[in-house]
Amino acid sequence: MKESHAVVSQRGARRWQRGHPWIFRSDVVRAPAAPPGAVPVRDQQGRELGWALWSPVSEISLRLLDRDPGARIDEAWWHGRLRRSLERRAPLAGVADAFRLVHGEGDGLPSLVVDRFDRWLVAQFLSAGIEAFRGEIVSALRALTGADGALARNDASVRSREGLERAVEPLWGEVPQEVAVREHDVRFLAAPHTGQKTGAFLDQRENRVLAGSVARGRALDVFSYHGSFALHLARRAESVTAVDSSAQALARASQNAALNELHNITLVEADAFEFLRAQEQAGERYDTIVLDPPAFAKNKPSLEGAVRGYREVNLRAMRLLAPGGMLYTASCSYHLTKARFLEMLQDAAADSGRRIVLRALTGQPLDHPEVLTVPETGYLKGALLEAD
Ligand code: SAH
């Protein structure tokens, strides 16, 4: 007889014991005879381990939902889990109206991402298992947030590995093409339908405030996207140059500058590597620099090349710093560990010929919880550096 529960190896069971929610295909001893959804999981001795999301075609077969074998994964269960996730964000209510409501495994809601942009939500259902609960999740989110509309940005490439279609679909209501959101003392336009990720990068909010707090003189925001760092810098610096290779992103940066009545931002469409090299050759100097590159390391094999890229932009930025100048530099590559990030900065500093002081190390804000036993929930690290 076919059973609808999964049986996992000792190694798989141990992952759960050690606080990691994923069980890989190679640790599934017997696959459940069930469609994607929630399944009970047992070890080979028949011990009940709890409930997991089941993704039949994925390398990540099982994602832990609940250690209680008696749990019922119904609408009330999703409502409760989502409510706790939302409650964790309470401290952000006063400072921003755009933040992440659900950070997947970081909130015990595996493969689900939900971002809020003012009165609208953008969700990503990133596994076959979570997709099976779309109805329950949508109705719980509607009830909990009262949002006017929501969109599924299900165009992420990981969906292909789950055997899922890739598409951008409305969930309810109508989400505008552009939403003006507030982040501390600045406002910017997010583009939920077409912008990168879910429409804006929400993970750097506090780091932008940090960079803004030390900004002065001549400032540079490299890999600016729609100018989020530049806006914070421009409130204190005399002038800000924002550099990005995307004309579309810069067009929004221009609107964002206007929205904040900031007239000291110059937008430059350029390749960051070429731009930094040319500035260095021209002997330019900046008092404040931000480097927020895209994830150069998309996977493990590309890490070494990525490290060279990070080192190059950081080295050039360090050389461009005026005496006493500050550099906020970040990496959002999961594959570049915190230790490796710091090592890369040490190498760049050594090559720069400058004496560089580490003023602060930064990570993710509270709406992107990084769980220590789940390294995949953490990817963003930053450093605030000061040059002599
Ligand atoms: N700092 C932004 C996020 C940056 S995301 C924020 O806080 O919102 C990375 C940005 O780098 C994207 O906007 C992308 O268009 C840009 N980019 C990628 N490769 C680039 C390159 N070689 N030169 C310049 N910009 C680049």
Side-chain angles (χ1 to χ4, degrees), residues 35 45 48 77 81 87 113 150 154 157 170-171 176-177 190 242 247 254-255 265 291 293 300 308 315 322 325 333 368:
Q45 280 75 50
E48 296 183 308
W77 187 94
R81 201 46 82 88
E87 281 167 0
V113 169
N154 279 343
S157 61
L171 293 170
Q177 286 297 323
S254 165
Q255 289 177 284
I265 303 177
L291 279 184
K300 240 185 180 161
R308 279 194 295 279
L315 164 66
S333 290
H368 293 65

Side-chain angles (χ1 to χ4, degrees), residues 106-159:
D107 284 299
L109 286 157
S111 58
L112 178 67
V113 169
V114 184
D115 287 341
R116 174 185 157 197
F117 296 98
D118 189 19
R119 288 177 288 125
W120 295 277
L121 307 184
V122 180
Q124 293 182 303
F125 297 86
L126 300 174
S127 75
I130 201 83
E131 182 67 67
F133 289 102
R134 190 196 279 225
E136 287 84 344
I137 292 166
V138 164
S139 76
L141 284 172
R142 263 188 109 148
L144 286 163
T145 65
D148 288 353
L151 192 69
R153 277 295 296 270
N154 279 343
D155 48 341
S157 61
V158 288
R159 281 184 51 104

Side-chain angles (χ1 to χ4, degrees), residues 196 201 208 223-225 228-229 244-246 270-273 292 294:
Q196 293 199 29
F201 296 92
R208 292 187 192 116
F223 305 101
S224 183
Y225 190 50
S228 330
F229 272 99
D244 202 281
S245 56
S246 158
D271 172 74
F273 288 84
D292 185 22

Side-chain angles (χ1 to χ4, degrees), residues 43-302:
D43 69 10
Q44 284 169 286
Q45 280 75 50
R47 276 187 292 257
E48 296 183 308
L49 303 178
W51 287 82
L53 288 176
W54 158 235
S55 283
V57 306
S58 173
E59 277 304 310
I60 306 169
S61 302
L62 298 166
R63 293 172 169 90
L64 176 66
L65 287 176
D66 199 316
R67 289 178 191 281
D68 175 7
R72 281 187 50 194
I73 313 299
D74 54 11
E75 193 162 331
W77 187 94
W78 290 100
H79 191 278
R81 201 46 82 88
L82 285 162
R83 194 187 61 232
R84 283 198 295 285
S85 191
L86 267 54
E87 281 167 0
R88 244 168 253 142
R89 277 73 182 167
L92 290 173
V95 299
D97 58 17
F99 45 86
R100 178 151 292 191
L101 296 177
V102 178
H103 181 54
E105 280 74 354
D107 284 299
L109 286 157
S111 58
L112 178 67
V113 169
V114 184
D115 287 341
R116 174 185 157 197
F117 296 98
D118 189 19
R119 288 177 288 125
W120 295 277
L121 307 184
V122 180
Q124 293 182 303
F125 297 86
L126 300 174
S127 75
I130 201 83
E131 182 67 67
F133 289 102
R134 190 196 279 225
E136 287 84 344
I137 292 166
V138 164
S139 76
L141 284 172
R142 263 188 109 148
L144 286 163
T145 65
D148 288 353
L151 192 69
R153 277 295 296 270
N154 279 343
D155 48 341
S157 61
V158 288
R159 281 184 51 104
S160 308
R161 284 187 253 154
E162 295 281 328
L164 297 169
E165 303 273 301
R166 292 169 64 184
V168 179
E169 300 162 281
L171 293 170
W172 78 83
E174 207 168 305
V175 178
Q177 286 297 323
E178 284 186 335
V179 179
V181 296
R182 186 173 63 86
E183 174 183 281
H184 292 271
D185 295 322
V186 311
R187 281 156 57 74
F188 65 80
L189 296 173
H193 295 258
T194 55
Q196 293 199 29
K197 285 199 171 180
T198 59
F201 296 92
L202 300 174
D203 48 8
Q204 293 274 32
R205 186 175 44 247
E206 276 67 33
N207 300 327
R208 292 187 192 116
V209 172
L210 174 70
S213 73
V214 300
R216 59 184 173 76
R218 210 177 164 211
L220 183 61
D221 176 20
V222 188
F223 305 101
S224 183
Y225 190 50
H226 57 208
S228 330
F229 272 99
L231 298 171
H232 286 267
L233 300 179
R235 300 180 73 245
R236 277 173 195 256
E238 277 156 39
S239 64
V240 183
T241 302
V243 182
D244 202 281
S245 56
S246 158
Q248 210 188 349
L250 290 175
R252 215 157 50 243
S254 165
Q255 289 177 284
N256 286 337
L259 194 63
N260 292 276
E261 292 172 28
L262 291 165
H263 307 290
N264 55 346
I265 303 177
T266 305
L267 306 171
V268 177
E269 183 185 336
D271 172 74
F273 288 84
E274 286 170 18
F275 177 87
L276 290 169
R277 207 174 301 140
Q279 293 287 295
E280 192 191 325
Q281 270 160 15
E284 300 288 345
R285 285 286 179 273
Y286 291 90
D287 303 293
T288 317
I289 303 180
V290 169
L291 279 184
D292 185 22
F296 290 155
K298 301 269 186 231
N299 46 43
K300 240 185 180 161
S302 66

